[in-house]
């Protein structure tokens, strides 16, 4: 067992509380990571609100970055001292995993949201009682985390590790959905609804791959200003005339649209702004039971809509790819980040929810 300090979510909607806890020793293909920093993501808030099913109390956090301090007996590709970024986990054995679609692992829910290992055993105890851990296979709102060889991605040591945690989820989701799923042609057009961290990552990716009309839509002026800095050449303040404005900016409609908001009315807008044969993708986490409507006649003209998890990325290769783009100045994700100390987690969450901060990152331990 390893003594840890963790930010505990004790109840539905409650504030995070700093707590002493114990973390199980690594088994099999597991690795023990000393967390240096971790991003704060909307999904953490969704669990706190119980829109996603992880039982409370829980140690959440799923954008961890740190240094491996111990490895399980079956680990072969990672070593003590490696710098790693943590991402969602998968079983590695089901039909989707073995064909390279690991984000759609048949065991995605129990592995990432049950609060336990797949065999039901807990990883974290607090005051002698088992609590939910293993969130996204990590629970990185803590000084130490357990991950598996599958969801710990080795990264180069010449990049500031405190920057890299968000590459494991939010930024991977936005960039990956553009690069891996939509695959826009050079010179094509895209509208991104929601200029938070996911949306801005999508805008950066669209710019990197050669989209020439990139439209950002949001309610917050500070987000729209940043969207211009990272690749958008048009910004639209969300309102009643959003669809008409985007059609005017794109000569009748865009080739691609991405919704990060999960708001049903906005999802409808993301389809309405498409030109014929245009494609929209949904990546936001909706409220339980949320539904949206579309024009059936409109869909006859070749439009399509779908959803994607984690940008359908293969993290072991995609995360290093994003780092390489950043080094080349083509993917300035560091502009989204604001740092907070670990004990400022509630301030970081509040700033994220208000729109004041795009991507909060908690500094947890020294490198």
């Amino acid at each position: 067992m390893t003594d840890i300090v963790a930010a505990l979510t004790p109840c539905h909607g409650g504030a995070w509380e700093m707590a002493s806890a114990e973390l199980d020793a690594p088994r099999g293909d597991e690795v023990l990571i000393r967390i240096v920093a971790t991003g704060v993501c909307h999904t953490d808030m969704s669990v706190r609100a119980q829109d996603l099913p992880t039982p409370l109390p829980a140690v959440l956090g799923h954008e961890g970055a740190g240094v491996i301090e111990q490895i399980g007996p079956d680990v072969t590709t990672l070593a003590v001292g490696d710098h790693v970024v943590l991402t969602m986990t998968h079983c590695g054995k089901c039909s989707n995993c073995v064909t390279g679609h690991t984000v759609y692992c048949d065991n995605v829910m129990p592995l990432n949201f049950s609060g336990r290992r797949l065999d039901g055993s807990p990883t974290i105890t607090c005051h002698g009682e088992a609590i939910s851990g293993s969130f996204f296979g990590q629970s990185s709102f803590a000084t130490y985390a357990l991950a598996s060889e599958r969801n710990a991605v080795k990264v180069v040591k010449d990049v500031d590790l405190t920057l890299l945690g968000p590459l494991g989820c939010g930024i991977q989701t936005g960039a990956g959905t553009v690069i891996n799923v939509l695959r826009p042609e050079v010179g094509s057009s895209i509208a991104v609804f929601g200029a938070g961290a996911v949306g801005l990552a999508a805008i950066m990716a669209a710019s990197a791959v050669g989209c020439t009309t990139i439209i950002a839509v949001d309610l917050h002026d500070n987000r729209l200003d940043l969207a211009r800095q990272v690749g958008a050449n048009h910004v639209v303040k969300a309102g009643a005339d959003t669809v008409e404005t985007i059609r005017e900016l794109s000569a009748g409609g865009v080739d691609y649209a991405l919704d990060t908001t999960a708001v049903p009315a906005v999802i409808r807008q993301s389809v309405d702004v498409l030109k014929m044969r245009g494609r929209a993708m949904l990546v936001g986490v909706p409220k339980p039971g949320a539904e949206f409507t579309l024009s059936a006649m409109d869909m006859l003209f070749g439009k399509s809509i779908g959803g994607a998890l984690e940008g359908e990325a293969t993290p072991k290769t995609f995360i290093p790819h994003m780092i390489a783009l950043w080094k080349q100045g083509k993917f300035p994700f560091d502009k989204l980040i604001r740092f907070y100390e670990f004990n400022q987690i509630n301030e970081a969450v509040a700033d994220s929810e208000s729109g004041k901060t795009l991507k909060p990152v908690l500094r947890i331990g020294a490198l």
Side-chain angles (χ1 to χ4, degrees):
M1 301 289 282
T2 299
D3 292 331
I4 66 173
V5 175
L8 180 66
T9 306
C11 60
H12 182 180
W16 270 268
E17 300 174 359
M18 304 307 292
S20 297
E22 289 188 319
L23 185 66
D24 203 4
R27 305 177 183 179
D29 67 352
E30 293 177 342
V31 292
L32 176 69
I33 297 115
R34 176 171 49 83
I35 298 296
V36 171
T38 189
V40 177
C41 178
H42 180 264
T43 303
D44 299 306
M45 282 81 94
S46 295
V47 173
R48 183 183 63 169
Q50 290 292 273
D51 293 338
L52 289 169
T54 297
L56 303 179
V59 177
L60 303 178
H62 63 285
E63 292 184 342
V67 181
I68 293 179
E69 291 212 340
Q70 189 177 346
I71 63 174
D74 300 331
V75 173
T76 60
T77 62
L78 297 171
V80 172
D82 283 347
H83 289 194
V84 292
V85 170
L86 306 181
T87 187
M88 72 183 298
T89 194
H90 58 281
C91 74
K93 299 176 181 178
C94 70
S95 59
N96 279 328
C97 282
V98 299
T99 55
H101 305 291
T102 59
V103 299
Y104 300 121
C105 171
D106 289 350
N107 294 296
V108 65
M109 293 307 292
L111 277 171
N112 292 277
F113 292 96
S114 72
R116 301 288 190 270
R117 294 183 176 96
L118 195 57
D119 66 5
S121 61
T123 58
I124 300 177
T125 57
C126 187
H127 305 302
E129 297 290 333
I131 61 173
S132 288
S134 297
F135 185 59
F136 274 59
Q138 53 184 281
S139 288
S140 53
F141 286 166
T143 50
Y144 288 84
L146 274 183
S148 78
E149 189 171 22
R150 294 182 301 280
N151 72 309
V153 179
K154 184 177 178 179
V155 295
V156 293
K157 293 184 178 181
D158 62 348
V159 177
D160 183 357
L161 190 56
T162 63
L163 291 172
L164 301 185
L167 297 180
C169 183
I171 292 175
Q172 174 174 260
T173 295
T177 302
V178 171
I179 293 171
N180 302 323
V181 184
L182 291 176
R183 300 182 179 182
E185 302 83 1
V186 172
S188 59
S189 56
I190 186 169
V192 178
F193 290 80
V198 174
L200 291 172
I203 287 167
M204 288 185 281
S207 177
V209 300
C211 292
T212 50
T213 300
I214 303 172
I215 303 169
V217 185
D218 203 277
L219 291 166
H220 300 281
D221 290 331
N222 65 318
R223 293 184 174 194
L224 294 174
D225 290 342
L226 188 53
R228 285 192 182 277
Q229 295 177 39
V230 300
N233 45 29
H234 301 286
V235 298
V236 175
K237 188 76 171 284
D241 59 350
T242 296
V243 171
E244 291 74 15
T245 301
I246 292 174
R247 286 173 175 167
E248 290 173 3
L249 292 171
S250 58
V254 293
D255 299 299
Y256 302 100
L258 179 68
D259 175 72
T260 72
T261 72
V263 175
V266 180
I267 293 171
R268 173 63 183 262
Q269 290 179 333
S270 73
V271 177
D272 288 345
V273 301
L274 295 174
K275 63 174 58 173
M276 287 190 286
R277 300 185 68 245
R279 189 179 184 195
M281 293 299 299
L282 317 180
V283 300
V285 178
K287 296 288 186 181
E291 297 180 349
F292 57 88
T293 61
L294 299 172
S295 165
M297 179 63 74
D298 209 22
M299 301 303 289
L300 288 177
F301 289 87
K303 294 184 180 183
S304 62
I305 184 171
L309 290 177
E310 295 290 333
E312 297 193 359
T314 301
K316 295 279 189 181
T317 54
F318 194 70
I319 288 173
H321 177 58
M322 288 188 286
I323 294 171
L325 286 173
W326 176 77
K327 284 185 168 184
Q328 295 167 15
K330 298 177 181 177
F331 192 66
F333 70 90
D334 55 308
K335 291 186 177 182
L336 314 185
I337 290 172
R338 179 182 175 189
F339 289 106
Y340 297 78
E341 298 308 312
F342 191 19
N343 60 7
Q344 294 177 302
I345 182 170
N346 289 298
E347 179 184 345
V349 169
D351 287 352
S352 176
E353 292 181 317
S354 72
K356 179 179 179 180
T357 297
L358 271 299
K359 173 52 68 174
V361 171
L362 302 173
R363 288 193 180 105
I364 293 180
L367 184 58

